[in-house]
Amino acid sequence: MRKLNALFKDNANLEALTSLSDSLTASKNAWNAVVPAQLARYTQPGVIKHKRLTVYAHNGAIAARLKLLLPTLISGLQKQGVEVTSIRVEVQVQSGTRETPKILRTLSAQAAENLDDLAQKLKGSPLGEALSRLISRAEK
């Protein structure tokens, strides 16, 4: 590891990159200590420039919630020793949507029987037909 650090210090571009990486790591650690846990996974702190921290939110709702918490977050960061006087919140939409797994739901035998009775009573109506289709899918 020591040789790798020496290599980074010898090259000016790599040294700047290392400095930026260290800065981002420090701001992320401080941010995760003050932001509520339910919002932390939907946000990403950026760099601190001119005492302004830029935070990237996954969507507008998260950004709006963060804006309501700005005074608390700023004071929390200052207590962590981070020199921040303002926070800029930007929305950065995540590329690629995550597909939620389709949950297979089944009817119990008792529920299917009760729905079948109701479908028979409502035979000929749109609701009765919909219940019949539901029961036929449940029996497969």
Side-chain angles (χ1 to χ4, degrees), residues 4 6 32 53 61 64 80 84 95 115 117 123 125 127-128:
L4 187 60
N32 287 337
L53 172 65
Q80 292 281 327
V84 173
S95 62
L115 286 175
D117 291 343
K123 196 170 193 168
S125 71
L127 180 58

Side-chain angles (χ1 to χ4, degrees), residues 41-44 58 93-102:
R41 64 183 186 176
Y42 300 111
T43 60
Q44 181 68 38
H58 286 207
V93 178
Q94 299 297 308
S95 62
T97 58
R98 296 181 191 159
E99 213 172 288
T100 56
K102 194 170 188 177

Side-chain angles (χ1 to χ4, degrees), residues 3 19 54 63 73 77 83 94 98-99 104-105 111 122 126 135-136 140:
K3 290 180 183 181
S19 174
T54 302
L73 294 171
L77 287 169
E83 290 186 37
Q94 299 297 308
R98 296 181 191 159
E99 213 172 288
L104 182 61
R105 294 183 174 100
L122 298 173
I135 294 165
S136 68
K140 290 180 183 179

Side-chain angles (χ1 to χ4, degrees), residues 65-129:
R65 181 73 177 135
L66 285 176
K67 288 179 182 180
L68 292 173
L69 296 173
L70 284 181
T72 306
L73 294 171
I74 291 171
S75 70
L77 287 169
Q78 289 171 344
K79 288 177 185 174
Q80 292 281 327
V82 180
E83 290 186 37
V84 173
T85 57
S86 66
I87 297 175
R88 179 179 181 190
V89 180
E90 292 187 13
V91 175
Q92 185 175 30
V93 178
Q94 299 297 308
S95 62
T97 58
R98 296 181 191 159
E99 213 172 288
T100 56
K102 194 170 188 177
I103 300 170
L104 182 61
R105 294 183 174 100
T106 58
L107 291 175
S108 67
Q110 181 65 39
E113 185 180 319
N114 290 340
L115 286 175
D116 189 35
D117 291 343
L118 183 59
Q120 293 304 320
K121 290 178 186 175
L122 298 173
K123 196 170 193 168
S125 71
L127 180 58
E129 293 171 14

Side-chain angles (χ1 to χ4, degrees), residues 16-74:
L17 186 61
T18 301
S19 174
L20 178 62
S21 173
D22 292 342
S23 172
L24 285 172
T25 301
S27 67
K28 183 172 184 167
N29 290 339
W31 177 254
N32 287 337
V34 299
V35 72
Q38 63 269 28
L39 295 177
R41 64 183 186 176
Y42 300 111
T43 60
Q44 181 68 38
V47 295
I48 299 172
K49 277 189 182 175
H50 307 293
K51 296 186 179 184
R52 177 193 291 172
L53 172 65
T54 302
V55 176
Y56 302 98
H58 286 207
N59 59 48
I62 300 296
R65 181 73 177 135
L66 285 176
K67 288 179 182 180
L68 292 173
L69 296 173
L70 284 181
T72 306
L73 294 171
I74 291 171

